[in-house]
């Protein structure tokens, strides 16, 4: 699929059938979740320590092109644009509602926001020098290993931010701890950050791959 800055309506307003309902907190679709909740994951302006680690890694990389996967309302995307100033910054989310809100919040910052499903478009982002995946792993868990391994085969920097809740019931055979990500990617782990999530689980930011 071609990636551009157009929105043609989201197919994701249809009920989700391939993600366990518990992971959706009872909402039938990501669009409905974003309609009802002002900020579903309480990300705000992405100023928490885990997002600041992402920014720290990006400062080291000094990327020319950045692809932000799972941008939601655009809090981290805005930080990247202001603090890192890549030449090209493209952000995608599966939710049409989220992308429309992100555009309304940050229409003046020069970022290309697009509705897209990473499960369908991951091959289109090979060639970007830095890809960020933030908290999307559980929602695409069956396809996640294949996607990040394919990305790892190209000469890029891959930054994954992911929470591993203590009470996670689904897809534990695929990934139950941060170290599982290292096995999936198949390219060198350059830096990692792990802290308790305050609820008995762990949250990690891991940077893999390309030359610095």
């Amino acid at each position: 699929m071609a990636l551009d800055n157009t929105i043609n309506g989201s197919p994701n307003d249809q009920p989700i059938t391939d993600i366990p309902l518990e992971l959706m907190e009872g909402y039938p679709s990501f669009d409905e979740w974003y309609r009802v909740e002002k900020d579903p994951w309480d990300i705000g302006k992405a100023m928490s320590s885990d997002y600041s680690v992402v920014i720290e890694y990006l400062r080291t990389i000094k990327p020319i092109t950045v692809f932000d996967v799972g941008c939601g309302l655009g809090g981290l995307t805005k930080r990247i644009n202001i603090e890192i100033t890549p030449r090209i910054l493209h952000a995608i989310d599966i939710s049409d509602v989220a992308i429309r809100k992100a555009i309304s919040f940050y229409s003046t910052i020069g970022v290309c926001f697009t509705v897209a499903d990473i499960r369908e478009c991951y091959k289109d982002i090979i060639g970007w020098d830095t890809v960020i995946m933030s908290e999307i792993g559980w929602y695409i868990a069956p396809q996640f290993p294949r996607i990040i391994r394919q990305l790892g085969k190209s000469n890029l920097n891959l930054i994954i931010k992911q929470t591993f809740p203590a009470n996670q019931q689904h897809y534990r055979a695929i990934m139950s701890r941060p170290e599982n990500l290292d096995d999936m990617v198949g390219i060198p782990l350059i830096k990692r950050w792990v802290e308790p999530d305050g609820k008995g689980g762990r949250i990690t930011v891991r940077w893999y791959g390309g030359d610095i």
Side-chain angles (χ1 to χ4, degrees):
M1 63 179 291
L3 295 174
D4 55 35
N5 199 27
T6 61
I7 298 177
N8 299 313
S10 174
N12 305 300
D13 200 21
Q14 301 301 314
I16 296 289
T17 59
D18 59 348
I19 300 175
L21 197 59
E22 293 87 345
L23 292 178
M24 300 292 294
E25 295 192 10
Y27 289 102
S29 70
F30 285 104
D31 279 347
E32 184 64 17
W33 202 343
Y34 275 103
R35 284 193 192 99
V36 174
E37 301 285 345
K38 182 178 179 181
D39 186 357
W41 289 271
D42 297 318
I43 294 170
K45 296 182 179 180
M47 299 303 294
S48 57
S49 57
D50 47 345
Y51 287 105
S52 293
V53 171
V54 173
I55 296 296
E56 174 192 329
Y57 290 173
L58 289 171
R59 285 199 180 102
T60 302
I61 296 168
K62 299 180 177 65
I64 296 173
T65 61
V66 176
F67 203 99
D68 183 12
V69 180
C71 67
L73 301 176
L76 175 61
T77 314
K78 182 182 180 182
R79 283 197 68 183
I80 294 169
N81 187 69
I82 292 173
E83 299 180 42
I84 306 302
T85 64
R87 185 181 303 166
I88 302 175
L89 175 55
H90 197 133
I92 67 169
D93 198 274
I94 195 172
S95 170
D96 173 83
V97 175
I99 289 296
R100 289 181 185 276
K101 288 183 177 182
I103 290 173
S104 71
F105 296 155
Y106 306 123
S107 61
T108 62
I109 67 173
V111 174
C112 184
F113 288 103
T114 304
V115 179
D117 187 336
I118 188 61
R119 294 172 296 182
E120 299 173 359
C121 72
Y122 69 93
K123 292 182 180 178
D124 293 329
I125 65 178
I126 293 173
W128 292 68
D129 63 47
T130 301
V131 174
I132 299 165
M133 294 183 163
S134 180
E135 301 295 348
I136 68 170
W138 296 114
Y139 301 106
I140 62 169
Q143 300 85 18
F144 198 40
R146 171 174 53 84
I147 290 171
I148 61 177
R149 181 167 290 275
Q150 186 68 36
L151 291 175
K153 291 179 180 178
S154 61
N155 184 29
L156 53 68
N157 291 281
L158 177 61
I159 297 175
I160 300 175
K161 186 183 91 66
Q162 187 63 57
T163 300
F164 288 77
N167 62 350
Q168 184 70 35
Q169 300 299 317
H170 298 280
Y171 302 130
R172 292 188 64 84
I174 298 174
M175 54 181 201
S176 60
R177 55 195 181 91
E179 293 76 15
N180 292 143
L181 296 172
D182 306 342
D183 299 329
M184 292 182 195
V185 176
I187 56 176
L189 173 65
I190 297 176
K191 283 190 177 182
R192 66 185 175 192
W193 174 93
V194 183
E195 280 197 359
D197 68 354
K199 301 176 183 178
R202 291 187 291 171
I203 184 168
T204 189
V205 180
R206 304 174 97 80
W207 165 21
Y208 301 92
D211 298 330
I212 63 172

